[in-house]
Amino acid sequence: MSSNIQLIFERGNDAEQQNYIPKMDIDETNVDKIIPESLLRKDLPIPNIPEVEIDRHFIKLSNKNYGVDTGIYPLGSCTMKYNPKINEYIARLSGFTKVHSLQEENEGSLKLIHHLSILLGEITGMDGFTLQPAAGAHGELVGLLIMKKYFEIKQIQKQKIIIPDSAHGTNPASAKMAGFSIIELQSNSQGEVPLDQLKFAMQEGDVAGIMLTNPNTLGVFDRQIKEITKIVHEYGGLCYYDGANLNPMLGICRPRDMGFDIVHLNLHKTFSTPHGGGGPGSGPIGVTEELVPFLPEPCLISTTHGIICSENNTNSIGRIRAFWGNFGVIVRAYAYILALGSEGLRRVGQISVLNANYLRVLLQKNFNLPYNRICQHEFVISDRNLPNEITTEDIAKRILDYGLYAPTIYFPLIVSGAMMVEPTETESKHSLDFFVEVMNKIYEETKQNPDILKKAPHNTAVKRLDAVLAARNPILHD
Ligand SMILES: *Cc1c(COP(=O)(O)O)cnc(C)c1O
């Protein structure tokens, strides 16, 4: 470990400790008689450090972190919104944390899972849900395995999936994992799916269906969505909805009404689970009535005797993970949806769209907006025409100097130098204005002081990393 990093992460001194905890009252010299020799380590280098210093050390480290609780987090496609703390409290109630799937009495938990499935059904229009998938990408795989089994049972050969070039990378990855090959569709100048090319691809005959995000990763709602799903259905295909962008649709537009057969949701994005650290997540899958028998097992069925588990569905794709899913995430989503109710959810959708459009209009004065139209919850600007060859990376690094988080950069791939901004409904006008102020200041710097941008960030614990060197000469351990 380099001495620089050591300085940040390691502390220790020989100062006399102020012992709050009394000394051990066993004979220390006798300790190897009490604990077997094989379990004793003689060389354990525990730093000699008072409790207060440890406390300060970790608080300082945590202050180097940035999160939704620190400031705006406009990371497009990720829906990094504020998660109400009451939902953390609820998910930690011992009635939820101390149950186990194998215990006999857990009807309360099963009821919660079942009722959340029904609520998600109302929100999306789908007939049946499984809450088992552990994340969006896992849900995609499950959805595609359902598609696959559906055609297997019907004894129809279908090998291909159509995916537009604006899709999230997990879409083609999941399709590949499920054993499909991919037909990539080039979005048109409006950022939408070109109908003539869709028809052309469907005519090939062995297309199982399409995977779509709507609004897509450009933040653009495909106005021909009903036509798209109709064409796919006409040729015997199924339509898969990547629901990672459901936030602006809440209470306004249902994937089922757009014509989709299979839907995944990202509970950790849309429904109140912090996910900046990378997990845990939850990627429920919802399907139409025709596909319900294919859902993974175990399924929950509501009967007059209460909720029962079913595990003998011949068409099911089988088990996809242990037990019932990431239950803590499910509890948070349930609490969030019940607290907001249908009116509250609609408001989430509306404000997320309003906030994004507010930023879009203000930012497009100085930054290139490749798809110049009303957006949904997010939009994409780019580094095109910035003076002094300033790039998206320079802008993103400089934003950090102002104490904010940067948008998603260089994605979607179809916009060169993309910056994808998703403010979410939980940012106030004041916070949005501050983001615009910072972006405008940075824009002035691109003209007046480009060097400061090229070398940014200047105020962070770690400065700009040499990405080329890191890739060529990776040091994977110390
Ligand atoms: C986040 C995201 C996914 C993948 O979801 P994970 O929960 O991260 O696996 C898929 N599609 C889109 C559009 C996304 O934004």
Side-chain angles (χ1 to χ4, degrees), residues 77 135-137 140 168 170-171 213 217 242 244-245 264 266 268-269:
S77 209
E140 290 171 25
H168 194 268
T170 49
N171 291 186
T213 318
T217 57
D242 173 344
N245 291 344
H264 92 246
N266 303 57
H268 46 289
K269 289 179 181 171

Side-chain angles (χ1 to χ4, degrees), residues 322-350:
F323 303 117
W324 296 102
N326 283 333
F327 187 57
V329 183
I330 291 169
V331 173
R332 288 177 182 87
Y334 187 63
Y336 181 73
I337 291 170
L338 287 191
L340 283 171
S342 56
E343 261 315 303
L345 284 177
R346 181 173 306 128
R347 206 151 165 78
V348 165
Q350 289 169 333

Side-chain angles (χ1 to χ4, degrees), residues 23-39:
K23 277 209 168 307
M24 282 199 295
D25 57 2
I26 56 166
D27 181 0
E28 278 182 60
T29 54
N30 241 347
V31 87
D32 42 358
K33 297 211 178 79
I34 303 164
I35 300 171
E37 179 104 30
S38 61
L39 297 181

Side-chain angles (χ1 to χ4, degrees), residues 235-375:
Y235 287 93
L238 293 173
C239 300
Y240 181 99
Y241 183 82
D242 173 344
N245 291 344
L246 190 77
N247 212 48
M249 298 288 100
L250 288 175
I252 295 163
C253 185
R254 304 187 310 172
R256 176 64 177 278
D257 301 330
M258 300 182 211
F260 286 94
D261 308 284
I262 308 175
V263 169
H264 92 246
L265 304 179
N266 303 57
L267 295 189
H268 46 289
K269 289 179 181 171
T270 316
F271 298 106
S272 189
T273 282
H275 58 287
S282 175
I285 283 287
V287 293
T288 55
E289 200 174 357
E290 194 184 6
L291 297 175
V292 166
F294 296 88
L295 285 174
E297 292 175 322
C299 296
L300 288 178
I301 297 169
S302 177
T303 70
T304 45
H305 308 294
I307 311 274
I308 58 158
C309 296
S310 146
E311 247 188 292
N312 38 23
N313 206 330
T314 48
N315 284 350
S316 165
I317 61 163
R319 279 181 171 264
I320 48 134
R321 90 185 291 287
F323 303 117
W324 296 102
N326 283 333
F327 187 57
V329 183
I330 291 169
V331 173
R332 288 177 182 87
Y334 187 63
Y336 181 73
I337 291 170
L338 287 191
L340 283 171
S342 56
E343 261 315 303
L345 284 177
R346 181 173 306 128
R347 206 151 165 78
V348 165
Q350 289 169 333
I351 305 287
S352 74
V353 173
L354 181 66
N355 279 0
N357 280 290
Y358 181 70
L359 282 190
R360 176 183 62 80
V361 169
L362 292 177
L363 290 180
Q364 83 181 98
K365 287 181 191 146
N366 285 332
F367 293 90
N368 170 254
L369 180 78
Y371 296 89
N372 188 0
R373 51 185 275 200
I374 290 190
C375 65

